[in-house]
Amino acid sequence: MSAAPSADFLAALHDYQPLVRRVCRLYCQDADDRQDLFQEIVLQLWRAWPRYVPQPDAKLSTWLYRIALNVAISNLRQRTRRPAQVDVEGEAWHLAQPSEGHAYEPEETAALYRAIDRLSDVDKAFVLLYLEDRPYDEMADILGITQNNVRVKMHRVQERLRRLLMSPINC
């Protein structure tokens, strides 16, 4: 492999690292797990990079999101197959701690992350893309579904989040 793809890959990774970190943040509450997931996503991006062909009607971020979300969902499914002790108090405390690049995380944000954490892995992908202000057509490309389906699913996910945020467990 020539040095040019390496340089291009590193430049793309540098530009889109915040995107990958947000995916990791949404799918992993533990800092070590986030770092492991980040490394796995980067590895899978690197492996797929030689097959990436820029398309005039598609953004690089769409391709990156697809891979990052697929890896995150697969990783989450692997982790949930293993029985684990869940410390609800510890999770709430962790969410209230500073995250990468922020001095603090307000309680409203912590409550939102707790609610998001209770969503299915696929619903989390919708929330992430929505919070990233991705248009529905791009969301459809990333998720491999129609724009109409994105609209319907987004509405349902938003309703679930509203209910979760209003539930006493999340307060």
Side-chain angles (χ1 to χ4, degrees):
M1 191 177 294
S2 69
S6 293
D8 289 346
F9 175 77
L10 291 174
L13 183 60
H14 179 268
D15 291 345
Y16 291 100
Q17 182 175 346
L19 175 150
V20 175
R21 293 227 180 256
R22 285 188 294 272
V23 170
C24 295
R25 174 66 178 94
L26 192 63
Y27 282 88
C28 294
Q29 303 309 316
D30 179 72
D32 291 335
D33 289 343
R34 274 197 303 271
Q35 188 57 32
D36 289 347
L37 178 57
F38 178 80
Q39 290 174 1
E40 182 63 26
I41 290 171
V42 170
L43 175 64
Q44 296 307 321
L45 288 170
W46 172 248
R47 287 180 176 164
W49 187 255
R51 295 183 307 278
Y52 172 70
V53 179
Q55 300 293 322
D57 59 338
K59 298 177 185 175
L60 175 59
S61 63
T62 300
W63 180 81
L64 288 164
Y65 261 123
R66 262 191 208 147
I67 292 174
L69 288 171
N70 284 335
V71 171
I73 290 169
S74 295
N75 180 276
L76 179 65
R77 287 180 178 156
Q78 286 174 346
R79 283 186 290 135
T80 55
R81 284 187 197 130
R82 291 178 262 149
Q85 297 287 347
V86 177
D87 175 12
V88 176
E89 292 296 321
E91 287 298 316
W93 177 85
H94 175 74
L95 286 170
Q97 298 306 303
S99 59
E100 294 108 7
H102 299 291
Y104 65 94
E105 189 168 36
E107 181 53 37
E108 294 84 12
T109 304
L112 178 61
Y113 275 113
R114 285 193 300 273
I116 291 170
D117 194 45
R118 294 176 61 199
L119 295 173
S120 74
D121 46 352
V122 174
D123 288 351
K124 287 178 185 180
F126 281 96
V127 171
L128 175 68
L129 295 171
Y130 179 80
L131 293 174
E132 293 284 319
D133 289 327
R134 298 294 170 175
Y136 282 177
D137 61 333
E138 187 176 351
M139 291 171 78
D141 286 344
I142 291 167
L143 298 169
I145 59 177
T146 66
Q147 284 186 48
N148 238 9
N149 204 351
V150 168
R151 284 184 185 88
V152 170
K153 288 184 181 276
M154 273 306 305
H155 178 73
R156 290 177 182 162
V157 169
Q158 288 171 338
E159 285 301 313
R160 267 187 228 118
L161 264 182
R162 277 188 198 98
R163 284 193 306 270
L164 288 169
L165 286 168
M166 297 174 78
S167 75
I169 295 171
N170 200 42
C171 296

